[in-house]
Amino acid sequence: MKKVLMPFMLIVACSWFISCEVDDDSPNFYFTALNTIEADVPEFFEFGKTYDIEVTYQRPNGCTFFEGFDVVQTSVTGRDVVVIGSVLTDENRACTQAIEEVVATLKFNVIYTEEYTFRFYAGDDADGNATYLEYTVPIAEEGASTN
């Protein structure tokens, strides 16, 4: 039985490699930066806590999908945040051209006791330079009421 099974498995394994003919092996999507419209940051942070920051971004069409955030530490408590999307490039797919505002949540852990500065990518200006929405969030004083 083992001698019969071995050639059969070899034939099945080989068929995986030759059964599909791929005409185009290029990716059918690419990643892009999406424009932030606004971010709902708290009035202050408490050291050691985790916060949900709601970020409203612009989805330019029906073929662009949210993938996550690219967060770059620019200083000890400085963060540049870019909303990342993937754009499908399949020519057989019809995409709506409606621009939509969508909200995604950025989870943020407060690990320093100094105020934080966030810069959210908001698109490029007429000269092609990146523009940002900037927010500064202080740290609550020890013993201060957080109600």
Side-chain angles (χ1 to χ4, degrees), residues 73-147:
Q73 185 173 354
T74 57
S75 65
V76 173
T77 57
R79 304 291 186 273
D80 280 358
V81 181
V82 179
V83 179
I84 301 297
S86 60
V87 181
L88 299 180
T89 59
D90 185 2
E91 294 174 7
N92 298 325
R93 182 180 175 100
C95 296
T96 63
Q97 295 304 307
I99 297 172
E100 180 180 23
E101 288 186 7
V102 183
V103 176
T105 302
L106 170 66
K107 290 205 170 291
F108 187 75
N109 298 318
V110 178
I111 60 172
Y112 296 106
T113 57
E114 301 167 21
E115 72 179 14
Y116 281 83
T117 300
F118 294 91
R119 293 184 343 141
F120 291 87
Y121 175 76
D124 292 340
D125 65 14
D127 295 324
N129 299 313
T131 61
Y132 295 90
L133 302 175
E134 192 167 314
Y135 301 87
T136 300
V137 183
I139 302 298
E141 298 281 328
E142 287 291 324
S145 174
T146 58
N147 292 334

Side-chain angles (χ1 to χ4, degrees), residues 22-43:
V22 179
D23 292 339
D24 184 10
D25 61 355
S26 63
N28 64 347
F29 71 94
Y30 62 91
F31 293 111
T32 190
L34 301 175
N35 299 347
T36 299
I37 306 300
E38 71 175 325
D40 186 15
V41 299
E43 288 182 41

